[in-house]
Amino acid sequence: MANQYDLVVLGGGTAGYVAAIKASQLGMKTAVVESSKLGGTCLHRGCIPTKSFLKSAEVVSVMKNASAYGIDNETPTFEMKNIVDSKNKVVDQMYKGIHYLMKKHNIDIFEGHGRILGPSLFSPMAGTVAVEDPDDDEAESEILVNQNVLISTGSKPRELPFLPFDHDLVLSSDDMMELDDIPRRIAIIGGGVIGLEFASMLNDLGSDVTVLEAGDDILPDEDKEVSRTLKKSLSGRGIHFETGISLDENSIKVQDGSVKVSLDSEMAFDKVLVAVGRSPNIDDLGLTNTKIELDNGFIKTNEHYQTKNNHIYAAGDCIGNLQLAHVATKEAVNAVTHMADSDPYQLDYNHVPRCIYTSPEVASIGMTELQLKAQDISFKSHKIPLNTIGKAVIEGNENGFGKILVDPETKDILGVSLVGPKVTELINEVALAQFLDASALELGTSVHAHPSISEILMELGLDAEGMAIHV
């Protein structure tokens, strides 16, 4: 028997479950189809568990370096199993919370693989969803007839063609969630956000880490000074970097229970983590039954997140914009709002905070100097070291800084980059300032509590007008 819905959401990750809640609030009868667990990658294999790991690593680091705060250093002992258990407790709590929200908003959950059908006896349009039981190939599919579909199936770790995951020696970021122990020596292929967060964590927990990056710089999409500063800081902690390298089947081999990498010399590692990006989860969704087009492997949408079938929307990692949980949720909410015949405030991707939870942290928003130059946009750059801010010095800061890029005529904020303690929290103030179209001067003249690390934003805003106090 067919089920009737206003909206069927394919994928119960961050974008999917938030979209379902928003749709319910707007009066839509809604169903979510999820083949694994509600919460998706972010909750179970990404944002939340990695930050739990990083917090455990931070505690270890503080104990090892307690003398910086007038306390005797202590070398802690730990078992990776207990760190994983701590992570699992956090994830389980959040997972139960999502189930509560689904029940509160009367959202139906279908466990299984969802596939979009073409025009059929259920509907003259493509979009009806068939849900297959993952444990019974012969079971009759649930049929979900709907007015709208939202595809929010997320992404998965990308493999290297010459180094497929074996989940033992060659690991994905998913495999890192259930580590049995800390590898003595590990190579991390990829100097982007995911690779560097794991590098920072594993280094704090005692692993000898080498990062292998094909580009000339780590974090190629971020400010060059951010990249250099973070690399210097991580190198100072003992993380090794090899940049500008090209790996292939001849330079990296898995043999004799280890991973051997041949560059100028041969290096042997206990494990290798491949962190070279993520691919969209769009296989076997029935896209060929629709008019949906792909762009470089990702689902193509318009500014309202509609596909070529205008009642089928897509949001999150599967459409290939910034692959961030907070971007996915905003895209999904905007898509649902548009379904309800409203005109949502369009997401400006230049106003999206980008955070890296290494030690030290990195946070940025807007455009970089290279991006502005490439588009021939005039700007003025103002940089202030974080050691001018008392609370930052207390928190522990050696090379941190704040940088603001400002339009010389309008004084609009074009971009901000921060390196240092707690900056992943500070960047949200800049996001609000940009959302409200605040000028650098308005950021600088607003009152900031003292002592607080956020005073760096006040000083940057004032410095843009030549009025900084502490520099």
Side-chain angles (χ1 to χ4, degrees):
M1 181 176 178
N3 303 271
Q4 299 280 342
Y5 291 96
D6 297 311
L7 170 63
V8 172
V9 181
L10 291 179
T14 308
Y17 82 76
V18 170
I21 292 171
K22 181 64 177 179
S24 177
Q25 291 172 340
L26 293 173
M28 298 183 191
K29 184 181 180 184
T30 304
V32 172
V33 180
E34 172 56 50
S35 61
S36 182
K37 289 184 175 182
L38 290 174
T41 294
C42 180
L43 177 57
H44 298 284
R45 300 177 299 280
C47 322
I48 300 302
T50 56
K51 304 314 168 282
S52 177
F53 280 164
L54 284 161
K55 182 62 182 181
S56 296
E58 177 190 347
V59 172
V60 170
S61 178
V62 169
M63 293 176 70
K64 287 180 178 178
N65 300 284
S67 61
Y69 305 96
I71 309 297
D72 292 342
N73 289 344
E74 182 70 31
T75 301
T77 59
F78 63 88
E79 293 184 17
M80 193 61 200
K81 175 185 179 300
N82 295 332
I83 291 177
V84 171
D85 286 346
S86 177
K87 175 266 294 184
N88 287 341
K89 288 179 183 177
V90 174
V91 171
D92 288 345
Q93 179 179 336
M94 304 304 293
Y95 183 50
K96 291 175 183 175
I98 294 174
H99 275 280
Y100 164 77
L101 291 171
M102 296 294 100
K103 184 176 180 180
K104 174 184 176 182
H105 291 282
N106 299 311
I107 297 164
D108 292 339
I109 308 299
F110 290 86
E111 296 180 356
H113 179 78
R115 183 180 290 106
I116 299 173
L117 304 178
S120 66
L121 60 90
F122 300 108
S123 173
M125 301 186 301
T128 295
V129 173
V131 184
E132 298 174 353
D133 187 334
D135 300 319
D136 187 351
D137 292 338
E138 303 200 0
E140 186 176 344
S141 297
E142 293 269 11
I143 301 298
L144 312 183
V145 181
N146 56 75
Q147 297 298 312
N148 295 284
V149 175
L150 174 67
I151 303 171
S152 56
T153 46
S155 62
K156 58 181 177 291
R158 180 177 295 144
E159 286 186 314
L160 290 171
F162 56 86
L163 194 67
F165 300 128
D166 65 12
H167 313 295
D168 178 24
L169 299 180
V170 182
L171 308 178
S172 72
S173 56
D174 289 356
D175 298 320
M176 298 295 289
M177 295 302 99
E178 302 298 334
L179 274 182
D180 293 326
D181 50 45
I182 297 298
R184 186 177 61 86
R185 296 194 70 197
I186 187 169
I188 298 177
I189 301 177
V193 176
I194 296 172
L196 294 180
E197 287 188 352
F198 278 114
S200 181
M201 178 199 85
L202 291 167
N203 171 262
D204 279 339
L205 295 178
S207 188
D208 184 353
V209 180
T210 297
V211 176
L212 308 173
E213 167 57 40
D216 293 331
D217 297 301
I218 62 172
L219 301 178
D221 296 328
E222 293 298 338
D223 180 273
K224 294 303 179 185
E225 286 189 273
V226 167
S227 172
R228 290 193 295 267
T229 299
L230 183 60
K231 183 179 178 182
K232 178 180 179 181
S233 179
L234 295 178
S235 296
R237 289 168 45 195
I239 296 174
H240 314 288
F241 288 90
E242 298 284 350
T243 56
I245 64 169
S246 178
L247 295 174
D248 56 29
E249 65 274 7
N250 297 315
S251 57
I252 184 165
K253 295 184 182 300
V254 180
Q255 59 187 41
D256 301 327
S258 67
V259 181
K260 292 181 171 61
V261 179
S262 298
L263 297 175
D264 294 333
S265 60
E266 186 176 84
M267 299 176 287
F269 301 94
D270 303 311
K271 310 275 188 184
V272 59
L273 166 63
V274 178
V276 293
R278 298 182 65 84
S279 302
N281 288 324
I282 58 172
D283 296 338
D284 200 25
L285 290 181
L287 299 188
T288 55
N289 296 325
T290 72
K291 298 177 184 177
I292 291 175
E293 297 177 349
L294 301 183
D295 183 5
N296 197 28
F298 295 90
I299 295 174
K300 187 175 181 180
T301 67
N302 64 15
E303 69 275 16
H304 301 299
Y305 307 105
Q306 292 170 294
T307 67
K308 279 290 185 178
N309 295 94
N310 60 15
H311 64 292
I312 302 177
Y313 294 67
D317 284 8
C318 65
I319 68 173
N321 291 324
L322 288 173
Q323 291 184 323
L324 300 169
H326 46 288
V327 169
T329 57
K330 186 61 177 175
E331 290 173 344
V333 167
N334 278 12
V336 171
T337 303
H338 187 262
M339 291 175 200
D341 296 325
S342 295
D343 190 15
Y345 185 90
Q346 287 191 13
L347 175 59
D348 185 337
Y349 291 92
N350 279 325
H351 292 175
V352 170
R354 307 183 299 275
C355 297
I356 307 171
Y357 296 84
T358 46
S359 179
E361 293 182 348
V362 172
S364 55
I365 194 169
M367 304 179 77
T368 66
E369 292 188 21
L370 285 180
Q371 290 167 341
L372 290 168
K373 290 176 181 177
Q375 296 187 30
D376 199 26
I377 298 174
S378 298
F379 68 93
K380 290 285 188 180
S381 175
H382 303 267
K383 177 183 173 184
I384 295 177
L386 224 61
N387 61 19
T388 62
I389 306 299
K391 189 62 162 56
V393 175
I394 293 169
E395 290 284 346
N397 170 72
E398 294 181 1
N399 303 309
F401 67 89
K403 177 190 281 189
I404 190 169
L405 307 176
V406 177
D407 185 304
E409 298 297 325
T410 65
K411 305 301 182 182
D412 287 342
I413 301 168
L414 302 175
V416 170
S417 296
L418 304 167
V419 181
K422 307 293 190 295
V423 297
T424 56
E425 300 291 338
L426 303 190
I427 200 67
N428 295 304
E429 180 182 342
V430 186
L432 177 61
Q434 286 194 311
F435 184 78
L436 297 176
D437 199 26
S439 66
L441 180 60
E442 288 170 320
L443 179 66
T445 53
S446 61
V447 179
H448 288 67
H450 176 77
S452 68
I453 304 174
S454 67
E455 290 176 278
I456 187 67
L457 298 176
M458 178 178 68
E459 294 290 350
L460 284 170
L462 292 173
D463 196 52
E465 293 285 350
M467 298 164 54
I469 302 298
H470 292 96
V471 291

